[in-house]
Amino acid sequence: MKRFEPVSVVCGPCIILNRDHIDTDQIIPARFLSRTRREGFAGLLFHDFLTSEQQQQGHASFSEQIHDSINNQKVLIAGENFGCGSSREHAVWALLDNGFRAVIAKSFGDIFYGNAINNGLLLAKLEENWPDLRNDVEKSNTVEINLMHRTIATGSGRFYPFQIDEFFKNMLSDGAQEMDMTLSLVDKIQAFEQWQFKTSPWLQSPKAFISKKES
């Protein structure tokens, strides 16, 4: 069962957020979390982060780009530990609802990472070459992320390898969530259970096993 459109290649313009430790409350403030549906978050992404006077002065260009062409496929480039903080799937929904299909960062918050993959948002972890990529993108603006090859190609013709776990790569390429991946292995799980109960019968029903031994 496909939960979202399978991901193989993401190609689009880049928007750079040159800052570390962007937590989920900065991505989508808590007071906007009353919605329980994935839609309806367009325009709320980075709301407080972009509306405070200090942030407006420091990220004017970012503010102008973030809500432009909401329906276009876009790539966000962030710093270290993007998506840290409290658990909220809405942070991923807000990014998707604003047209983002991938995020490139030095590292990600663990819970945000799982939520993103479960919703079809491609996350590319790039540690060593992140400064080079950022400088490259400032000139070429567009990237193409190939999930199968685990590469990021920039407009200047350079390629950057990125990290993603094989399990998460398969989830994205299949359009599947974690539960779907587990269910796809149900035959192997049942075969293992049968083998385990045969070789270690006390695991199936300890009381019944003891009674049988004592009778």
Side-chain angles (χ1 to χ4, degrees), residues 6 60 63 89 116 125 140 144 176 180 183:
S63 179
E89 200 169 15
K125 185 178 178 182
S140 56
E144 180 179 286
D180 303 314
L183 292 176

mmCIF file of all heavy atoms in Angstrom, residues 6 60 63 89 116 125 140 144 176 180 183:
data_model
loop_
_atom_site.group_PDB
_atom_site.id
_atom_site.type_symbol
_atom_site.label_atom_id
_atom_site.label_comp_id
_atom_site.label_asym_id
_atom_site.label_seq_id
_atom_site.Cartn_x
_atom_site.Cartn_y
_atom_site.Cartn_z
ATOM 1 N N PRO A 6 5.850 7.684 -4.357
ATOM 2 C CA PRO A 6 7.233 7.209 -4.180
ATOM 3 C C PRO A 6 8.263 8.244 -4.615
ATOM 4 O O PRO A 6 8.055 8.976 -5.580
ATOM 5 C CB PRO A 6 7.279 5.968 -5.082
ATOM 6 C CG PRO A 6 5.870 5.494 -5.133
ATOM 7 C CD PRO A 6 5.019 6.732 -5.116
ATOM 8 N N ALA A 60 16.035 38.246 5.827
ATOM 9 C CA ALA A 60 15.086 38.894 4.927
ATOM 10 C C ALA A 60 14.935 38.110 3.629
ATOM 11 O O ALA A 60 13.825 37.883 3.144
ATOM 12 C CB ALA A 60 15.538 40.322 4.640
ATOM 13 N N SER A 63 13.043 34.927 4.169
ATOM 14 C CA SER A 63 11.627 35.203 4.380
ATOM 15 C C SER A 63 10.900 35.425 3.066
ATOM 16 O O SER A 63 9.756 35.005 2.892
ATOM 17 C CB SER A 63 11.470 36.432 5.281
ATOM 18 O OG SER A 63 10.111 36.724 5.485
ATOM 19 N N GLU A 89 4.466 15.785 14.237
ATOM 20 C CA GLU A 89 4.430 15.440 12.816
ATOM 21 C C GLU A 89 4.056 16.650 11.971
ATOM 22 O O GLU A 89 4.364 16.721 10.782
ATOM 23 C CB GLU A 89 3.429 14.296 12.594
ATOM 24 C CG GLU A 89 3.622 13.539 11.298
ATOM 25 C CD GLU A 89 2.780 12.278 11.262
ATOM 26 O OE1 GLU A 89 1.866 12.153 12.094
ATOM 27 O OE2 GLU A 89 3.040 11.424 10.398
ATOM 28 N N ALA A 116 9.550 12.497 8.968
ATOM 29 C CA ALA A 116 9.750 12.948 7.586
ATOM 30 C C ALA A 116 9.702 11.766 6.618
ATOM 31 O O ALA A 116 9.000 11.805 5.602
ATOM 32 C CB ALA A 116 11.086 13.681 7.474
ATOM 33 N N LYS A 125 21.478 13.715 4.557
ATOM 34 C CA LYS A 125 22.451 14.108 5.588
ATOM 35 C C LYS A 125 23.818 14.285 4.940
ATOM 36 O O LYS A 125 24.359 13.368 4.338
ATOM 37 C CB LYS A 125 22.503 13.033 6.673
ATOM 38 C CG LYS A 125 23.375 13.382 7.848
ATOM 39 C CD LYS A 125 23.309 12.265 8.881
ATOM 40 C CE LYS A 125 24.219 12.556 10.059
ATOM 41 N NZ LYS A 125 24.194 11.453 11.045
ATOM 42 N N SER A 140 24.608 28.329 -8.137
ATOM 43 C CA SER A 140 23.809 27.607 -9.142
ATOM 44 C C SER A 140 22.333 27.511 -8.771
ATOM 45 O O SER A 140 21.499 27.258 -9.630
ATOM 46 C CB SER A 140 24.377 26.202 -9.329
ATOM 47 O OG SER A 140 24.417 25.510 -8.092
ATOM 48 N N GLU A 144 19.705 18.554 -7.869
ATOM 49 C CA GLU A 144 18.959 17.340 -8.185
ATOM 50 C C GLU A 144 19.441 16.259 -7.223
ATOM 51 O O GLU A 144 20.614 15.890 -7.232
ATOM 52 C CB GLU A 144 19.189 16.894 -9.627
ATOM 53 C CG GLU A 144 18.414 15.615 -9.963
ATOM 54 C CD GLU A 144 18.606 15.180 -11.406
ATOM 55 O OE1 GLU A 144 18.033 15.817 -12.297
ATOM 56 O OE2 GLU A 144 19.362 14.212 -11.617
ATOM 57 N N ALA A 176 6.194 3.863 1.222
ATOM 58 C CA ALA A 176 5.659 3.073 2.335
ATOM 59 C C ALA A 176 6.079 3.661 3.681
ATOM 60 O O ALA A 176 7.084 4.363 3.789
ATOM 61 C CB ALA A 176 6.158 1.636 2.238
ATOM 62 N N ASP A 180 4.202 -0.638 7.036
ATOM 63 C CA ASP A 180 4.096 -1.359 5.766
ATOM 64 C C ASP A 180 5.326 -2.238 5.535
ATOM 65 O O ASP A 180 5.222 -3.350 5.014
ATOM 66 C CB ASP A 180 3.952 -0.366 4.604
ATOM 67 C CG ASP A 180 2.765 0.546 4.795
ATOM 68 O OD1 ASP A 180 1.692 0.045 5.150
ATOM 69 O OD2 ASP A 180 2.928 1.767 4.592
ATOM 70 N N LEU A 183 4.951 -5.292 7.696
ATOM 71 C CA LEU A 183 3.949 -6.222 7.156
ATOM 72 C C LEU A 183 4.446 -6.941 5.907
ATOM 73 O O LEU A 183 4.010 -8.055 5.623
ATOM 74 C CB LEU A 183 2.659 -5.452 6.845
ATOM 75 C CG LEU A 183 1.891 -4.921 8.058
ATOM 76 C CD1 LEU A 183 0.692 -4.086 7.617
ATOM 77 C CD2 LEU A 183 1.419 -6.082 8.941
#
